[in-house]
Amino acid sequence: MADPAPRRDTRGIVAPAELFSRVRFRRHVPAPELRPYLEHYWLIDWALPEPYPTHVVPHPSVNVVFQRYGPLGGPARPEAEVSGIGLGLFTQRLDGAGRVCGAQFRPGGFRPFAAARPVSAWTGRRVPLHEAFPDTAALPGARGTDEAVLSAVLSPDDDHARVAALDAFLLARGPVPDPAAEQAMELVELVRSDRTVRRVARLARLSGLSARSLQRLFASHVGVGPKWVILRYRLHEALERAEAHAAPDWAGLAAELGYSDQAHLVRDFTATDSPRPRTPGGCRCRDVRCAHERAAP
């Protein structure tokens, strides 16, 4: 049987076509033993004559990221980090030449690889790799990552070699069986796939857990609360629709996603510092009183 294909959607990426015209962006599936815990690996390479800012509305996922940046034709500085769930808009300035190799975990899937702390300990933070995986430190007590670990992932030019290095890195550190992680992953997938799950109370009923137990499970194994996850998946769908249609029906989409009106959808975009949905005039202003919107038919 052929390996499954990685996801092809662009949910969460702001202006994906513009980004992909400037960088080489690929996704790959991990080893079979890792697939229950990881969404995919994502690889990016670029060589840019001018800086380019990228924007992502983050998924409720932890990422392990190996990266190197440097001027065109100059030396590159390698590093690795654990990137917890970002609560607002993630912006990264790409400049010169660079390479990023990332592992995006399924929501709930990171704890079996780093069981010492709840996943909420990483939320809103980008920390050196050794904080979650102490054995990767260059020296005991050092802040940098072992050069051999960095080189294994970042040096190969071949995608399959990079994927094999990421597989080897993660398989050496887990996963540790964790029934709570499996339950958390199942519940987040339910939120992602079932549009009728619009309230925490409904998710609690479907899970058989009390609202308080559900909150504790999400804090320890997902990193954010269930309400945040529900809202974030709504925003991803709205953003994807905005990028796919020149003049999306925002009022209809707001109703379809469970909002009482379009203004509430716009408010949630603004709360994440995300670029605002385009109005019929093409504006992305953050001000809900934007003249374009007031003038729209």
Side-chain angles (χ1 to χ4, degrees):
M1 181 181 296
D3 286 341
R7 278 186 19 234
R8 298 182 62 86
D9 66 80
T10 59
R11 289 190 177 182
I13 302 175
V14 179
E18 191 175 315
L19 172 65
F20 298 162
S21 71
R22 289 170 167 81
V23 306
R24 290 183 59 231
F25 178 93
R26 296 90 70 204
R27 290 178 177 144
H28 292 277
V29 294
E33 304 93 320
L34 296 170
R35 289 173 196 165
Y37 304 92
L38 270 71
E39 294 276 8
H40 51 249
Y41 296 135
W42 49 279
L43 311 181
I44 306 177
D45 294 86
W46 69 89
L48 299 173
E50 296 180 354
Y52 176 71
T54 65
H55 306 285
V56 175
V57 179
H59 288 256
S61 299
V62 175
N63 285 261
V64 169
V65 184
F66 294 81
Q67 53 201 343
R68 72 183 189 201
Y69 301 88
L72 285 172
R77 184 185 75 256
E79 57 188 37
E81 68 180 24
V82 171
S83 181
I85 297 173
L87 299 178
L89 183 70
F90 175 80
T91 299
Q92 180 71 53
R93 182 176 182 266
L94 304 183
D95 196 2
R99 170 173 294 175
V100 179
C101 304
Q104 181 178 326
F105 287 79
R106 297 185 187 279
F110 183 68
R111 186 75 185 270
F113 295 82
R117 302 186 196 181
V119 179
S120 57
W122 314 111
T123 298
R125 302 174 64 207
R126 297 171 65 184
V127 302
L129 187 67
H130 67 82
E131 286 200 24
F133 305 103
D135 64 303
T136 64
L139 295 169
R143 293 186 59 80
T145 301
D146 189 315
E147 288 188 11
V149 174
L150 294 169
S151 178
V153 176
L154 292 170
S155 293
D157 290 325
D158 177 69
D159 278 14
H160 296 294
R162 294 188 220 173
V163 167
L166 288 167
D167 282 342
F169 175 84
L170 292 173
L171 287 170
R173 292 161 178 85
V176 175
D178 184 345
E182 294 179 10
Q183 183 179 29
M185 288 188 288
E186 289 174 0
L187 291 175
V188 174
E189 183 57 34
L190 180 63
V191 171
R192 176 158 55 183
S193 60
D194 187 345
R195 286 185 185 171
T196 68
V197 181
R198 299 172 177 173
R199 300 287 185 271
V200 174
R202 174 166 173 76
L203 184 61
R205 287 195 300 271
L206 292 172
S207 70
L209 299 173
S210 68
R212 180 170 296 181
S213 296
L214 188 64
Q215 295 282 0
R216 285 198 296 265
L217 174 66
F218 272 59
S220 65
H221 284 75
V222 179
V224 289
K227 181 179 180 180
W228 193 97
V229 173
I230 292 169
L231 173 60
R232 183 50 50 99
Y233 281 139
R234 285 178 175 178
L235 291 182
H236 279 174
E237 185 166 355
L239 179 61
E240 188 176 48
R241 299 278 191 94
E243 298 295 345
H245 301 282
D249 176 10
W250 285 109
L253 179 59
E256 185 180 341
L257 296 178
Y259 286 90
S260 57
D261 55 39
Q262 180 178 344
H264 283 81
L265 174 60
V266 171
R267 179 198 64 192
D268 285 344
F269 265 87
T270 304
T272 64
D273 286 330
S274 303
R276 185 168 178 225
R278 288 188 182 90
T279 64
C283 179
R284 283 189 184 270
C285 299
R286 297 183 188 277
D287 186 354
V288 295
R289 298 163 297 178
C290 169
H292 291 101
E293 182 169 288
R294 290 201 305 271

